[in-house]
Amino acid sequence: EAGVAQSPRYKIIEKRQSVAFWCNPISGHATLYWYQQILGQGPKLLIQFQNNGVVDDSQLPKDRFSAERLKGVDSTLKIQPAKLEDSAVYLCASSLDRGRVGTEAFFGQGTRLTVV
Amino acid sequence: DQQVKQNSPSLSVQEGRISILNCDYTNSMFDYFLWYKKYPAEGPTFLISISSIKDKNEDGRFTVFLNKSAKHLSLHIVPSQPGDSAVYFCAAARGGNKLVFGAGTILRVKS
């Protein structure tokens, strides 16, 4: 079974530029998550999709971050314009079913973003 | 608001001994707890989980204990192996919704 695929693996941009990350979840997984992991901290949920609908985006900085999951499969996360504090690893994860206790999330390798 | 806390940033253990990683949470509504392991340059991988209706779950060398009254869980690794050296994240969820992660504990197993 193929895992969660993310690209690119690394990205360096200047502040105020824009950047986009792509994620392809495990086939058949209805729930997709984007997490931000700042160095020395645990992953923090940015947005959660159930199929192509947003379940939770309460911690997404909506003035600069946007995400979509067209057709309920792969997803893109965009930052525009980027700030220095956006430097982090962006992790995509997917799970089989939301709302059912006992459903673990599977993570991709992440995209390491450096904003200079 | 840190709902999940891992107060030990790092732990060093001799190969063959027991590793005990601790985690505390504040939200009594959490009903599912997980441990993830993370190697450098990789995403977290699921290790073991426990539902709030249980107080222990075992999988090979890994055992998770849950103390609901103390809002505390721990991960025991016996015996510890050098390949267990990684960052371990504790996570909690409510009703299958978003996972809330702790800051992680770096485990070093010395051979």
Side-chain angles (χ1 to χ4, degrees), chain A residues 78-92:
Chain A
K78 296 178 182 178
I79 307 174
Q80 181 180 15
K83 293 185 176 181
L84 296 176
E85 58 260 36
D86 298 331
S87 295
V89 175
Y90 291 84
L91 294 161
C92 179

Side-chain angles (χ1 to χ4, degrees), chain A residues 6-11 89-90 108-113, chain B residues 40-43:
Chain A
Q6 288 188 248
S7 67
R9 288 294 311 276
Y10 305 94
K11 191 75 176 178
V89 175
Y90 291 84
Q109 289 182 297
T111 296
R112 180 175 295 278
L113 173 68
Chain B
E42 295 184 12

Side-chain angles (χ1 to χ4, degrees), chain A residues 24-41:
Chain A
N24 190 20
I26 294 172
S27 177
H29 280 195
T31 304
L32 184 147
Y33 314 80
W34 282 102
Y35 281 85
Q36 178 194 58
Q37 186 179 11
I38 293 172
L39 188 64
Q41 299 179 18

Side-chain angles (χ1 to χ4, degrees), chain A residues 5 8 45 48 51 53 59 66 69-70 73-76 82 101 114:
Chain A
L45 181 70
Q48 177 180 342
N51 296 310
Q59 297 189 95
S66 64
R69 190 184 183 196
L70 299 176
V73 181
D74 53 355
S75 175
T76 56
V101 176
T114 302

